[in-house]
Structure formats: C-alpha cells, structure tokens
Amino acid sequence: MAAAATMVSSAGGLLAMLNENHPALKLHALSNLNSFVDYFWPEISTSVPIIESLYEDEEFDQRQLAALLVSKVFYYLGELNDSLSYALGAGPLFDVSEDSDYVHTILAKAIDEYASLKTKAAETKVESTKVDSRLEAIVERMLDKCIVDGKNQQAIGMAIECRRLDKLEEAVIKSDNIHATINYCIDVSHSFVNRREYRREVLRLLVKVYQQLPSPDYLSICQRLMFLDEPEGVAIILEKLLRSEVEDDALLAFQIAFDLVENEHQAFLLRVRDRLPSPKPQLSATAQSGSNQPDSAQSGSAVPLQDVQMTDDTQESSSSLNLDQHDEVYAERLAKIRGILSGETSIQLTMQFLYSHNKSDLLILKTIKQSVEVRNSVCHSATIYANAIMHAGTTVDTFLRENLDWLSRATNWAKFSATAGLGVIHRGHLQQGRSLMAPYLPQGGGGGGSPYSEGGALYALGLIHANHGEGIKQFLRDSLRTTNVEVIQHGACLGLGLAALGTADDDIFEDIKNVLYTDSAVAGEAAGISLGLLMVGTASEKASELLAYAHETQHEKIIRGLALGIALTVYGREEEADTLIEQMTRDQDPILRYGGMYALALAYRGTSNNKAIRQLLHFAVSDVSDDVRRTAVLALGFVLYSDPEQTPRIVSLLSESYNPHVRYGAALAVGISCAGTGLSEAISLLEPLMSDVVDFVRQGALIAMAMVMVQTSEASDSRVGTFRRQLEKIIVDKHEDTMSKMGAILASGILDAGGRNVTIKLLSKSKHDKITAVVGLAVFSQFWYWYPLIYFVSLAFSPTAFIGLNHNLKAPKFEFLSHAKPSLFEYPKPTTVPTTTTSVKLPTAVLSTSARAKARASKKEAEKASGAEPSAVLGSGKGKAVDKDGGDAMQVDSTAEKKAEPEPCFEILTNPARVIPAQEKIIKFLEESRYIPVKSAPSGFVLLKDLRPHEPEQLSLTDAPSSTTSNAGGSSAGQPGSASAMAVDDEPAPPQPFEYTS
Amino acid sequence: MDSKITEVSQMFDRFQASFMRKDYDTCDRLLSQLKVLLTEFKSLPPLFQETPNNIRELTLARHIYEYAVILSVKIEDQDAFERDFFQLKPYYTDARRLPPSAEEYPILGLNLLRLLVQNRIAEFHTELELLPPNALENPCIKHAVELEQSFMEGAYNCVLSARQTVPHETYVYFMDLLAKTVRDEIAGCSEKTYDSLSIKDARQMLLFSSDQELSEYIKEERTEWEIKNGFVFFQRSKESTPCKEIPSLQLINQTLSYARELERIV
C-alpha cells in the first residue's frame, strides 16, 4: 500500500498537536497516535504525562481514548499493572475480540487479576475486597465471547480460575459435546484447582450438570461422587442399574463398581455396599451372610468363599428360572456387586492372573543367593525381601521351599521378616490367608514357636489382607490383646493397621493405644504407625493426643512411629492439615519435624501444590537435622507424583548437593514420583547417583532406579539392560559396600516385582490417588530405620493387566490387538544358565574379576543371541508356564530359522493379558470380536458385552475357584496337608509349611 | 474534496492578508481554524493516503504550517513555535515527493537557533545529524552551526556579533534571546570561578553597557548575589556535599548473608 510506503518517521508532529488548544486537534492527534502507537511508542512514552492529563481532564470528552493510548504505551513499556488500570479506564474502547498481542496480554492480566482477587475473597471469607466492577465487566465480556464462539475449554478454564461457577455451568451446558467438556473440566479441576474445598464445589456442580443430562455418564458421575464422598448417590445409581431389565445396565453397574474399587477407598466402598438395599428379606439374608463377614474369627476365611460359591449357584439356577422374577435377578446381581465392592472379586481375579502369568526369574535370585556372603545378615535378609517382592501376589514360594537350609540362617528379626515375606507373596489370598500362616501364628495354648516368627506371621496376615481386612481384624485384635511379648505386639500392630487401613475403628484404636502406652520401644513404634494407618485421612482430633504422647515418651522409636502415624492421619486433607503441619514443623524435636515433612507430603499428595513445594524446599536446605532434610526432599516425590515430569527438574539441583542425605532424598523422590514411568529424565538424573561416593546414596539410587524402570523393557530403553547388568555386577562384587549391595538386591526384587506383572502406580486410571499405594510407599520409605517396613512397597504394586469379564464375572476368551512390535513390551529374557553354572562351579572364585569377565562374556553372548532373535512370539498367553531351561533352549534353537523373518508390527493378546502402562496407548479392540467392552479402557477390569449370548462361552481364565473353595471351605481349619492334592489345579495351592531349624 | 481545498485556500488567503497587515490576532484565530480543517484531509501526515489532489493538499498544508511557524516567531511564542515546527516537520522529512520548499532551510535553521537559545544542545545535535550533508552548506544552517561552535568554545563575542549577519529577518528575535542565554552562561561560570568580582569587571564580563543594567539583572535573575563595597559577591550555595561515605557496614552485612545463603543452598 502507498500508505506504508510513505510512513511518517516520527510521531513528533502528532505529539506536538496534543498541545494545541483546540479539542478537535487533540482528538485528531489522539486517534492518530492510537493507530500508530505500535510503531511510535518509544516516542510517545516521553509524552505520556500529557496524555494522562488529558485522561484526567474531566472536561475532555475523549478521555477513554486517551486511557486506551496510555494503556498501550504502558503495555509496550512492560508496565502491565498500569496498563491494565488504564485499559479499564478505556471502558468499551478496549475491544476484547481484537486479535493483537496487546489485547491478549492485557486480557490475560485482567483475568489473572480478577482470579486472584476472587480467590483472595473466597479464602479470607470476607467480602471486603470489592472487585472493580470494570474489571468484572471485562472478564464477563471475555467469558461470554468465549462461550458464544464455542471456545469452551477457554471459557471453562477462565471460569474455574475466576471462581465463576455460574459461568462454568453455562459454558458446560452450552457446549456441543457435553461429555467431553465435562471430562475436560474434571481434568482441569484436578490439575489446577489447589483448594480442596473449591474443587469439591466444582465437582458438585458437575455432578449436578451430569444428572440433568438425558443420557448420564454413570461411570463419571460415580467417580465424582466418590471424590465428594457421597456414598448414597452411588448406591442409588447402582441400584437403579441393577434393577434394570437390560443386561447391559448390570454390566455397567459392575464396571462402575470395579472402577470404584480401583481407587482403593475402602471405607467409602463399604458404605456404598451397606447402603445398597436388599430385595427381599430372605434373599437379603443370604446375600448379607455372603458379603458381610460375620465377626466370628473362626469362619473368617471360609465365608467369602461361600459368597463366590453362592453366586455360582444362583447363576446356574437363575438361567432355568423365569426372567420375570425380577427380584431374583436383582438379588443375584446384588450379591455380585457386593463381592466386587468388597474388593474380593478383583483381588481374586488379580491373584489368578498374577499366578498364571508369573514370569519371575529364579536364576536371578539364585545368583544373588550364591553371591552374598552367608554371614552377612543384611544381604541375607535383603535377598529374602527381594524374593518376597519379586513374587508379590503370585503365591509362588518355590524359592523359599528349595532353600530351607539357607533360609534357616535367618534369626531374630530376620526371621520376623522372612515370615512376613510370606504375606507379601500371598498378598490377596483372602480366603486361605489364615490357613497358610497357621503354622507360624501364635498358638492359643502358649506354643513353643519363636516370637519372631509369630510376630512376622501376624504382620504377614496384615499384608495379605491389606485394606480388605474385614475377616481378619478380629483375629488380629485378639492376638494383640493376648500377648505381652513386644515382638508379637509389633507384628500384630502392623498387621492390624494394614488390615483396618483407614477404617477409623474406635475399638481397634483403643487396643493399639493400650500397646502404645506400655511405652515399649519396639511395640510402640509399630503402634504409632499402626494408629496412623487406622486413622488414615481422617484428620481426627486424636492426632493431638498422639502428639502429646510423642512429647512425653523417651523412646525415639516411638516418637518416630507416632510422627509418621500423625502424618498419615492428615492424608489428602490439603489445607485442612496446615495447622497440624505448622505445629509439627516448628517442633524442637527433629523427629517430629521429620514427621511434619511426611504430613506435608501426604496432606498434599499428588497436588503439586506450590505452597507445599516451597515449604519442603525450604526445609530441604535450611533444617539443621539431616533426617529432616532428607525427608523433605523425599516428600517432594509424594507432592509431585501426579506430574512426574516435574520432579527430575525440581530436584536436579538437590541431587548435586554436598549433603549425601539430600542426594539420597532426591533419588527416592524421583523414584517415588516417577515410579513405573520409565521416564528418561528420571533415569538420567539417577544414573550419576548410582556411582555416588556415599554408600547409602548408591543404595537409594539403585532402589529408585528400579522403581522407575519397573516393567520398562530393554527394547524401549536400552538403559534398562545396562541397569540389570550393573545390579548383577554390584551383587557379585566382593568389595562393594553392604549398603549398596543391599540396595542392588532390593532393586533386583523391585525391578521384577510380582512376577514381572505389576508396576508401581500411585494414581488410578481416573486420576484419583490410590490411598493404599501412597500410604504403602510412605511407610516403605521408612525402611531407612526399620527394614521390615520394606514390605509396605507391595501395597503400591498394581497388576498391569487387561482382564475382561462377562456378566458372570468370568473371563471369557477374548482377543484384542496391541499395535506395536511385540518385543517392545515383552518380558525380559530369562537370565542364561551358563552365567549361573560358572558361579556354581567356582564358588570361591565367583567374586574375582575373572569371573566377572566371564560373566560379561557370557552376557554378551546372550545378548547377541537375544538381539538376533526376532522374537516372533505371538500371544503372550502362549508361554504361560514354559519350563525355563527348555524354553531357553528352544529359543536359542529357533534363532537361526527365524532370523530372516521380520518382526510383526502388532500382536494379538488374549484375555487376560499383560498390558503395561506404556502399552495402553496402542491397545485396540477388534471390531469383529464377539465381545465389546462396556468402557473402552485399555487395562484393568473391563466388563465385556456379549454380542452372541446364546453361543457357548469359552472361558480363558481359570474358573477353578468353586472346586478349590469348596475344598478349602471344608477344611477351614487349614490342614495344609490336604492342599497338596490340588497342586495340579490352576488355583494356587497353599504351600507346605516349613519350619525353621534354628 | 475540491470544495474543501477551496475553502482552505480561501481562508489561507485571508490569513496571508492579515499576516501582511500584521494583524496577528486574526492570524492566530484563522490559523486555528485552518488546522482543524486540515485534520480532515487524509493525504496529510500521518496517513499519507493517495488522493487525487494529494500533492496540492500537501503543498497547501505545508505552506500553512510554514506560516504558522513564522507567525509564532512574530508573536514571540516559543511553545507555539515548537508545536508548529513539529507538525511541519513530517512535510519535510517524509513527504519527499513534494517539490522542496524555499522556506525549508530558513525554518530548520530557526529551529536550530531556538534549541540553542533554550540551551538544548543535545537536541540541537540530534536535529543536525538528521540533516543531509549538503544542507550544512546552506547559509541558514551554517549560521546556526557556527553560532553553536562559538557558543561552545566560549567565544561569546562572536556570538553576539553574529547578530549583525543574520541570514533571515526572522532570526533577529532569537538572536536577541541568544544574548541572554550567553549572559546566563557567563554568570553561571563566573559564580563557579570567583568568590567576588568588582562591579566593573562583572559588568564587562556580563556584557552590560551600564552598572544599572547589571544591578537590575542581579535583582531579577540572581537574587543570591550581593553587591557590596563595589564588589559583587557570589553567594554560591556551597552545599557541595562531601564525598558520599562508602556504606561499608551494609556491604559487609550483605556479603555475609550471601555467604550464608550460599552455604544453605544445595
């Protein structure tokens, strides 16, 4: 354009015109300046006072134009506050729809300003802070514009931030795709709304909107209701679905129940379950007896089985019955959903999955066992821990069985943990837990068993029944009351705490408190933790009672236990916990400050709350006690786990600290928050720490690395392979410190946890925090002081499986697609035999460098072999129970033949299948399949809708429970001898008892 | 549009007529109206839109503003001069398509002179830099440049004698003002240099022709001076503040706290 060709080179003329007397000239100058301000703001900025005076001149009728001009100049000068205040003065001349940087910036500023004002007003609960009405007008104009333009996400974000729930509702209702919008809304409210109270308000609003919809998304509503802690709402929805004529609605109800269970909110689930109305008195009686465990401890293990059995029976009979019998159907469904809500169904299915897909590599354990020195009790128990973790939930205790002699070297507390390890291995074995542990449990008549194994057995029972302790609570309480031995008390307290997690049962509280007040260091420590577990997330008044006792007692152990316990009580309470946190972090006693760090971590778990992070960082660099500093850094991991990418960045400086405790904390923080992600930054941060000069930092880094890398395959990150080899090297190396050796052994365990079928997950799929998992990791991080607490890590394990279920809650044969190279997600190769044989043959020379060289060489060979092998294994289910050696030989044989064959780019998985988190993105359901999922989730429990209900079904997962259960039901006393007969069955058999010979 | 131009040119004719008659009040009033009328032309700065009559309009507008500048000199209004000059300037700098105006250099020179008078040396040089090199040859510009040089050298005599060689009649007004600027400069220097001066010396120094003028000047402009016993005492406010003390304590404290913080970090 010609205008552009002859641009004025200076605004001097226009500025001079401002000084003219005639208002028309001033106006002319102003409007021209306004259009040229983008180019001439440096010149205009010197004349701002003149323009300002024009704005302040009441007589001048173009004051708003002057204000707009000044605002723009201030914007260019970077004085956003002034710019905003003048923009407000410009009134309607400030056009929110203008597409310029200036308008965008000032709008953002205005919204920020408005949001912060509104937030302040809401937080102080005082209406004194009057919001500038002009500001409000601008924000409203913007909101309306967004809503009209269909920019709903923007509108929602702004409305939430500005606490304009009215606008939020409007935006949601007016959007085209309400479900998507609401989901977006929920994401936003979880990730960006810091105040818990406010988040609840938002969610309550969303539930309200949901319920108004013609086709409500019950899955989401129930999730929201759970967050709001409103069991009635969930119960009503479930009942409605269950009573429906349509089979699909029942499936949906089951799906809802499974999804709720995944969040591990035991207390809430129990309340939902109890609120589900019974159909008819007589039917309800049977249903009640099925799901509600009677208090009698004797039948505790047998009754849940009847439940399953009964469902089966009713199922069979109902098919022959007339469908009109509405109540009949309802009762049957009700029984099922109660089973699900109590968590038993999912636990049982999970256990079956873990057992059938167990891929743990016993050779690794064998190597470890042979490499550690016999007299080194730390490494010896570490091996036992590693074994337990490796087989967590799989019920496979072959290793222990094969090495009874070796195991018997565990004495005293080592024996305690060896026994407790059984609890981890049999985790979730709700039905037979007690019979399994029977040989070690304290005998009523004052048996001659070692108190250590008895205590360990009680702890094991707790681990088995963690968060689902209905049936075992009473027994544990009795055991606690009848003993005076502090070791047994210790075990019983831990067990009880685990079993009654978060139930806030007053009677149990009193029992444990009595133990606490005996002022015995060993029992008191466990009692402190146990009280915390019991009262998790209740923010109860009792915390102050505990705090008072912590000040009173002389025993550091008790104080520490209490400190953690108190921290647990404020779990997830966010700002409600601030008073208590303040009290603890200001305490004279470093142990209580240390508890304060945990309180911060747990109260603000997964919120990425800036205030909490700031406080923790402050303590991490300024506290005088190393313990507090270490914990403060570690606690960052808990605060940030919902946003794992952040953690490595935040702690990266701390990981280079001169203080080894801070480095250790940084390692674990990364381990906790990035657990199971295989995040590259996290690995890069931990790598240098693994060769730290201080032994315990190496230990922490190894454990953290294992937590990060769990289930990451070598194909997706080559560093996993390197890490595995490094672990082996550390374990074999004679000159390595005990501490890092122990770390390496534990790391091997965690890396292959749960038969390589579990990962560590702190968030459920619906982005809720998994309370058990978080609590588990928090207590686990205490192993610094008390090794047996290592077992708490098993609470954080969650199986990575897709388990599809039909309406009978059985797993039918169902295939789906994983759209990637199979090698990307396959199990790690089993370690090769030669490696171990060399170490067996040369037990004395094993640790020398030559052996290492050999090991390396053979490793290389193995690598070569595995690298060349295209691994065209189709269907993970196929290699279910392949004999290790045979399988290995076969693989080597087939190498040559398969070399030419390219690797397929997809894989068909068969229900139930291992689907690791990284794989979830690429899971696809086949279209022509017989079943379609009710909810298209790539993992977890998914109800499948049968499109051809009349054809006979083929079940893929074991449907043995009925036979087993009847068996076990018959021998409720748990005669272990009878169990061996069932070893052929798929259902895991209860193991033979083995006695310690010490 | 044509009608507007005609209207403006007619009014401008009337303006010129009254300018000739030296009826400056009428001129001022007409000028104001002219300026308002000019804002309606799109072809004028800062828009420079292409219109059929743009050359004519631009020329006319430039002419009006040139007159406005000269008028401001006539009525001895420096603010108006500045204002009008700035509005005129785009016509010289940006509207290069116009045939150069005869008045361009005299007016630029006037502006330089004004800056010199107001002792705004920095702006003087900025303006000078913006001129093309050959412009320096122009007597009007050259005059101003030479004046500035003498002014800087302290050759105040040359400055005052230059009044006789003005290249344009409008310059006289500023030359008169310049004499005063020079005097202020000398006064400022002498009060720094001397504690006191005899009245005679002071009179010579400040280029006054009589003692009377000197005492009037002192009374009006330099109230802090004193005439006593045939001497002028420069009571310069001797609050020459002593060298500021080094804030050593504060610095030490700061450094220590940095060290402490550093130790804490990491």
Side-chain angles (χ1 to χ4, degrees):
Chain A
M1 227 176 96
T6 45
M7 266 290 302
V8 275
S9 58
S10 154
L14 290 167
L15 287 173
M17 208 183 269
L18 281 177
N19 291 323
E20 295 278 1
N21 295 321
H22 203 290
L25 289 175
K26 286 182 183 172
L27 175 58
H28 176 73
L30 269 183
S31 55
N32 277 308
L33 280 174
N34 187 35
S35 45
F36 286 99
V37 67
D38 298 346
Y39 308 100
F40 294 126
W41 62 267
E43 271 184 90
I44 302 174
S45 65
T46 54
S47 307
V48 158
I50 301 173
I51 312 172
E52 279 176 330
S53 66
L54 280 180
Y55 167 63
E56 276 147 25
D57 181 3
E58 302 281 343
E59 319 248 299
F60 187 56
D61 54 353
Q62 287 298 328
R63 298 178 52 208
Q64 296 186 330
L65 186 60
L68 183 63
L69 182 60
V70 178
S71 165
K72 283 185 180 174
V73 173
F74 274 127
Y75 158 71
Y76 282 112
L77 290 173
E79 301 283 345
L80 292 184
N81 285 326
D82 292 335
S83 180
L84 176 62
S85 64
Y86 278 103
L88 292 179
L93 285 183
F94 181 78
D95 180 9
V96 290
S97 56
E98 191 183 311
D99 186 33
S100 69
D101 284 348
Y102 161 72
V103 171
H104 292 318
T105 315
I106 296 305
L107 268 182
K109 178 80 192 162
I111 292 167
D112 279 355
E113 189 79 25
Y114 183 65
S116 76
L117 280 175
K118 289 287 271 187
T119 313
K120 209 187 280 170
E123 275 168 21
T124 50
K125 304 266 190 285
V126 185
E127 288 299 310
S128 60
T129 41
K130 190 79 194 92
V131 180
D132 190 339
S133 59
R134 297 176 303 176
L135 189 61
E136 192 153 22
I138 283 201
V139 174
E140 274 179 17
R141 239 153 66 204
M142 188 66 202
L143 276 170
D144 290 339
K145 194 185 136 255
C146 282
I147 294 173
V148 170
D149 294 357
K151 291 179 187 158
N152 287 304
Q153 300 200 338
Q154 280 186 20
I156 288 168
M158 270 162 30
I160 289 182
E161 213 179 325
C162 300
R163 294 181 178 251
R164 290 296 299 263
L165 292 181
D166 50 336
K167 290 283 171 193
L168 179 64
E169 191 176 349
E170 190 185 333
V172 171
I173 290 175
K174 285 193 181 163
S175 66
D176 304 327
N177 184 349
I178 296 194
H179 288 291
T181 317
I182 292 183
N183 284 334
Y184 173 79
C185 220
I186 289 160
D187 279 354
V188 170
S189 63
H190 275 292
S191 40
F192 298 113
V193 179
N194 285 331
R195 304 278 302 186
R196 190 159 171 265
E197 271 310 308
Y198 179 51
R199 193 155 59 215
R200 293 175 76 97
E201 276 175 46
V202 174
L203 291 181
R204 210 165 278 138
L205 173 85
L206 291 180
V207 170
K208 201 180 95 197
V209 175
Y210 258 136
Q211 281 162 347
Q212 291 163 354
L213 295 183
S215 59
D217 178 355
Y218 289 120
L219 280 172
S220 307
I221 297 184
C222 290
Q223 294 284 347
R224 304 293 81 79
L225 286 171
M226 184 179 122
F227 183 83
L228 294 170
D229 205 12
E230 285 174 9
E232 296 86 357
V234 179
I236 291 168
I237 292 176
L238 286 180
E239 193 203 346
K240 195 173 124 198
L241 289 173
L242 289 177
R243 283 197 186 277
S244 159
E245 298 283 342
V246 192
E247 183 82 3
D248 291 357
D249 283 348
L251 288 183
L252 186 62
F254 294 153
Q255 184 69 58
I256 290 173
F258 273 119
D259 285 359
L260 292 179
V261 167
E262 205 214 338
N263 295 319
E264 299 179 342
H265 199 326
Q266 190 186 6
F268 176 80
L269 294 172
L270 292 181
R271 266 179 284 148
V272 173
R273 198 187 65 187
D274 296 341
R275 277 188 174 80
L276 280 177
S278 306
K280 273 189 279 180
Q282 66 266 42
L283 270 171
S284 79
T286 55
Q288 287 288 355
S289 75
S291 49
N292 275 0
Q293 276 86 351
D295 279 350
S296 140
Q298 291 305 94
S299 55
S301 62
V303 168
L305 308 181
Q306 272 175 9
D307 172 24
V308 180
Q309 208 173 0
M310 188 210 59
T311 1
D312 286 347
D313 291 344
T314 42
Q315 179 53 41
E316 280 156 32
S317 55
S318 71
S319 55
S320 61
L321 277 172
N322 195 337
L323 274 170
D324 288 329
Q325 282 178 310
H326 199 254
D327 277 347
E328 196 81 12
V329 178
Y330 174 66
E332 168 213 324
R333 289 174 181 169
L334 187 67
K336 277 188 209 157
I337 206 152
R338 285 196 163 144
I340 300 172
L341 285 175
S342 66
E344 281 151 19
T345 315
S346 55
I347 286 175
Q348 201 183 7
L349 288 165
T350 306
M351 203 170 63
Q352 284 172 4
F353 167 79
L354 288 178
Y355 174 68
S356 59
H357 285 65
N358 176 25
K359 281 279 192 177
S360 62
D361 190 347
L362 285 179
L363 278 178
I364 294 180
L365 278 174
K366 220 178 255 173
T367 321
I368 297 174
K369 191 194 98 188
Q370 277 154 0
S371 331
V372 299
E373 239 179 298
V374 176
R375 267 158 301 174
N376 189 338
S377 68
V378 172
C379 290
H380 184 269
S381 7
T383 316
I384 297 174
Y385 293 129
N387 170 55
I389 293 170
M390 247 186 223
H391 293 99
T394 61
T395 71
V396 175
D397 51 11
T398 333
F399 179 74
L400 296 179
R401 243 163 241 296
E402 284 172 359
N403 300 289
L404 285 180
D405 256 3
W406 172 82
L407 189 62
S408 66
R409 294 209 188 90
T411 52
N412 297 339
W413 283 109
K415 194 171 200 172
F416 176 89
S417 16
T419 321
L422 286 174
V424 176
I425 294 177
H426 293 284
R427 170 148 200 257
H429 219 149
L430 301 188
Q431 294 91 336
Q432 294 166 41
R434 258 193 78 197
S435 53
L436 279 169
M437 298 313 296
Y440 318 109
L441 289 172
Q443 306 299 325
S450 145
Y452 289 100
S453 69
E454 288 175 5
L458 291 172
Y459 179 23
L461 276 182
L463 288 164
I464 292 175
H465 291 87
N467 206 7
H468 298 282
E470 287 288 276
I472 203 74
K473 271 195 302 206
Q474 192 58 35
F475 173 75
L476 287 170
R477 270 180 75 186
D478 291 343
S479 310
L480 181 65
R481 253 179 282 163
T482 50
T483 184
N484 286 320
V485 188
E486 54 177 15
V487 180
I488 302 181
Q489 281 178 334
H490 183 91
C493 279
L494 287 178
L496 200 50
L498 279 164
L501 189 76
T503 51
D505 187 318
D506 280 334
D507 297 337
I508 300 179
F509 187 87
E510 285 307 315
D511 283 346
I512 304 178
K513 210 170 71 182
N514 289 337
V515 175
L516 180 71
Y517 285 158
T518 57
D519 209 34
S520 130
V522 174
E525 183 183 29
I529 297 174
S530 176
L531 287 175
L533 292 172
L534 183 68
M535 307 301 288
V536 118
T538 54
S540 104
E541 293 295 310
K542 288 169 180 150
S544 50
E545 199 181 328
L546 301 183
L547 198 58
Y549 187 71
H551 281 123
E552 220 170 274
T553 184
Q554 297 294 314
H555 296 287
E556 278 195 7
K557 268 173 166 291
I558 299 185
I559 304 177
R560 190 172 301 123
L562 281 171
L564 182 64
I566 297 167
L568 286 168
T569 61
V570 293
Y571 175 90
R573 306 303 284 212
E574 298 182 28
E575 64 271 3
E576 265 177 77
D578 282 351
T579 343
L580 184 76
I581 291 171
E582 183 75 18
Q583 215 176 337
M584 289 179 87
T585 51
R586 292 233 171 139
D587 206 284
Q588 291 281 316
D589 189 344
I591 303 179
L592 283 177
R593 289 205 300 278
Y594 155 95
M597 297 304 109
Y598 271 105
L600 261 173
L602 293 171
Y604 290 98
R605 83 281 170 268
T607 55
S608 310
N609 185 298
N610 277 334
K611 199 179 107 218
I613 294 174
R614 202 179 317 124
Q615 250 178 309
L616 287 173
L617 284 175
H618 175 76
F619 278 103
V621 295
S622 65
D623 202 278
V624 286
S625 155
D626 279 340
D627 290 338
V628 179
R629 296 176 67 168
R630 184 183 66 235
T631 320
V633 183
L634 189 148
L636 284 173
F638 284 102
V639 177
L640 289 166
Y641 67 71
S642 60
D643 203 359
E645 288 82 9
Q646 290 282 342
T647 321
R649 205 172 52 77
I650 288 186
V651 300
S652 66
L653 260 184
L654 294 167
S655 76
E656 290 161 20
S657 162
Y658 74 94
N659 184 328
H661 289 268
V662 173
R663 294 202 296 273
Y664 176 91
L668 275 195
V670 171
I672 289 165
S673 63
C674 305
T677 59
L679 202 70
S680 178
E681 293 85 30
I683 296 175
S684 314
L685 186 134
L686 289 172
E687 260 178 343
L689 289 176
M690 286 198 303
S691 43
D692 201 275
V693 284
V694 182
D695 50 1
F696 65 79
V697 179
R698 287 202 295 276
Q699 183 192 50
L702 288 168
I703 293 174
M705 186 70 114
M707 288 166 80
V708 173
M709 281 185 173
V710 64
Q711 280 207 339
T712 311
S713 70
E714 202 173 339
S716 51
D717 195 331
S718 63
R719 286 177 289 188
V720 178
T722 326
F723 181 58
R724 280 182 188 278
R725 285 187 286 283
Q726 193 177 355
L727 284 182
E728 194 183 333
K729 204 182 112 206
I730 293 173
I731 293 167
V732 171
D733 189 350
K734 201 179 188 179
H735 303 291
E736 193 64 54
D737 282 297
T738 309
M739 286 288 265
S740 49
K741 218 171 208 178
M742 174 196 165
I745 296 172
L746 285 179
S748 318
I750 295 173
L751 201 55
D752 290 333
R756 294 179 170 167
N757 283 316
V758 299
T759 185
I760 299 175
K761 250 168 94 178
L762 298 177
L763 281 178
S764 69
K765 275 182 229 39
S766 52
K767 297 277 185 283
H768 277 296
D769 48 313
K770 297 174 76 164
I771 182 162
T772 325
V774 178
V775 168
L777 276 192
V779 184
F780 162 72
S781 58
Q782 297 282 306
F783 76 85
W784 174 275
Y785 298 103
W786 192 231
Y787 289 153
L789 296 178
I790 286 173
Y791 288 135
F792 271 82
V793 77
S794 67
L795 300 191
F797 291 156
S798 71
T800 50
F802 174 92
I803 301 181
L805 298 171
N806 62 10
H807 63 280
N808 281 335
L809 304 185
K810 297 269 159 48
K813 203 165 179 320
F814 170 67
E815 289 187 334
F816 56 100
L817 191 74
S818 162
H819 201 40
K821 289 179 183 167
S823 70
L824 213 50
F825 302 115
E826 70 185 354
Y827 291 103
K829 304 270 177 331
T831 43
T832 45
V833 187
T835 321
T836 32
T837 45
T838 45
S839 44
V840 173
K841 274 177 192 162
L842 308 162
T844 45
V846 151
L847 307 177
S848 75
T849 45
S850 70
R852 249 189 289 151
K854 239 181 228 175
R856 226 178 289 134
S858 58
K859 265 282 163 202
K860 246 179 232 164
E861 259 171 58
E863 255 181 337
K864 227 186 279 166
S866 61
E869 187 197 350
S871 75
V873 191
L874 265 182
S876 66
K878 175 190 147 196
K880 214 186 264 179
V882 196
D883 177 20
K884 291 248 147 70
D885 299 5
D888 204 46
M890 259 164 47
Q891 278 177 335
V892 176
D893 283 350
S894 60
T895 310
E897 296 151 62
K898 286 181 180 171
K899 208 170 261 173
E901 215 175 290
E903 191 179 348
C905 61
F906 65 91
E907 183 179 20
I908 301 287
L909 301 174
T910 315
N911 178 38
R914 174 187 192 248
V915 175
I916 65 175
Q919 201 175 356
E920 288 176 4
K921 289 190 279 300
I922 50 159
I923 292 295
K924 292 206 174 64
F925 296 105
L926 301 172
E927 277 177 15
E928 68 276 20
S929 175
R930 173 174 168 182
Y931 298 97
I932 55 166
V934 168
K935 157 188 143 179
S936 66
S939 69
F941 292 98
V942 177
L943 267 293
L944 299 172
K945 190 175 155 192
D946 194 348
L947 297 180
R948 280 166 286 186
H950 301 298
E951 290 175 27
E953 281 188 304
Q954 221 184 339
L955 299 183
S956 65
L957 199 63
T958 61
D959 54 347
S962 55
S963 67
T964 326
T965 47
S966 61
N967 213 335
S971 59
S972 68
Q975 287 306 311
S978 68
S980 60
M982 310 185 307
V984 282
D985 207 316
D986 254 5
E987 166 71 6
Q992 306 276 355
F994 41 85
E995 286 301 325
Y996 297 107
T997 49
S998 64
Chain B
M1 193 51 89
D2 281 340
S3 62
K4 269 192 189 164
I5 294 189
T6 343
E7 190 191 342
V8 172
S9 2
Q10 278 168 4
M11 197 182 283
F12 185 47
D13 288 341
R14 271 191 282 149
F15 171 83
Q16 274 174 313
S18 40
F19 189 79
M20 288 306 184
R21 287 198 310 273
K22 299 199 191 294
D23 180 1
Y24 296 138
D25 284 342
T26 324
C27 283
D28 199 28
R29 197 162 38 75
L30 283 171
L31 183 64
S32 180
Q33 286 171 14
L34 276 171
K35 281 179 179 171
V36 175
L37 284 175
L38 282 179
T39 60
E40 289 172 26
F41 290 114
K42 297 274 183 249
S43 61
L44 302 186
L47 297 172
F48 285 125
Q49 270 177 19
E50 290 286 353
T51 52
N53 296 322
N54 61 344
I55 299 288
R56 217 177 121 206
E57 285 165 12
L58 279 170
T59 324
L60 182 62
R62 186 175 68 182
H63 212 151
I64 293 173
Y65 277 113
E66 279 169 351
Y67 265 98
V69 170
I70 294 167
L71 175 70
S72 66
V73 177
K74 297 277 186 213
I75 56 176
E76 304 189 351
D77 182 346
Q78 290 192 40
D79 287 341
F81 178 89
E82 187 173 355
R83 227 163 41 219
D84 293 327
F85 174 75
F86 274 118
Q87 290 176 54
L88 174 61
K89 218 179 148 202
Y91 295 92
Y92 293 147
T93 52
D94 302 324
R96 283 282 166 211
R97 283 172 306 163
L98 293 184
S101 155
E103 295 294 319
E104 177 170 353
Y105 287 114
I107 287 182
L108 287 178
L110 259 183
N111 183 47
L112 288 174
L113 208 54
R114 172 186 67 94
L115 291 172
L116 211 51
V117 166
Q118 293 170 346
N119 220 352
R120 287 153 73 174
I121 304 299
E123 283 165 76
F124 176 89
H125 282 281
T126 317
E127 288 294 324
L128 208 53
E129 290 303 318
L130 290 172
L131 292 175
N134 55 354
L136 295 180
E137 300 303 315
N138 188 289
C140 297
I141 307 292
K142 210 170 167 192
H143 178 74
V145 171
E146 278 167 1
L147 268 179
E148 193 263 350
Q149 275 164 2
S150 333
F151 194 57
M152 287 297 106
E153 284 164 10
Y156 296 128
N157 289 334
C158 300
V159 174
L160 294 181
S161 59
R163 191 182 186 283
Q164 272 67 51
T165 59
V166 285
H168 201 273
E169 23 101 27
T170 45
Y171 280 42
V172 176
Y173 163 61
F174 282 115
M175 291 310 292
D176 288 342
L177 291 175
L178 192 57
K180 189 170 172 317
T181 311
V182 168
R183 189 168 292 132
D184 284 345
E185 199 72 0
I186 296 171
C189 291
S190 20
E191 89 183 334
K192 290 269 176 342
T193 322
Y194 307 100
D195 285 331
S196 61
L197 269 181
S198 69
I199 288 186
K200 184 168 160 273
D201 290 343
R203 195 191 71 210
Q204 268 181 359
M205 187 102 49
L206 293 173
L207 311 165
F208 284 117
S209 43
S210 67
D211 292 356
Q212 184 61 33
E213 278 176 328
L214 175 67
S215 57
E216 260 172 35
Y217 173 74
I218 291 174
K219 214 179 278 171
E220 278 170 29
E221 304 273 332
R222 304 275 161 177
T223 44
E224 71 274 18
W225 292 5
E226 229 182 327
I227 303 177
K228 221 163 38 182
N229 309 333
F231 279 90
V232 178
F233 288 92
F234 307 113
Q235 310 266 323
R236 69 197 129 142
S237 37
K238 295 201 176 176
E239 82 273 1
S240 52
T241 45
C243 268
K244 268 191 190 159
E245 208 180 326
I246 299 170
S248 42
L249 263 181
Q250 195 193 341
L251 276 179
I252 291 170
N253 274 334
Q254 238 163 28
T255 321
L256 278 178
S257 78
Y258 285 153
R260 223 180 358 255
E261 294 287 322
L262 267 180
E263 205 153 87
R264 256 194 222 165
I265 298 170
V266 190

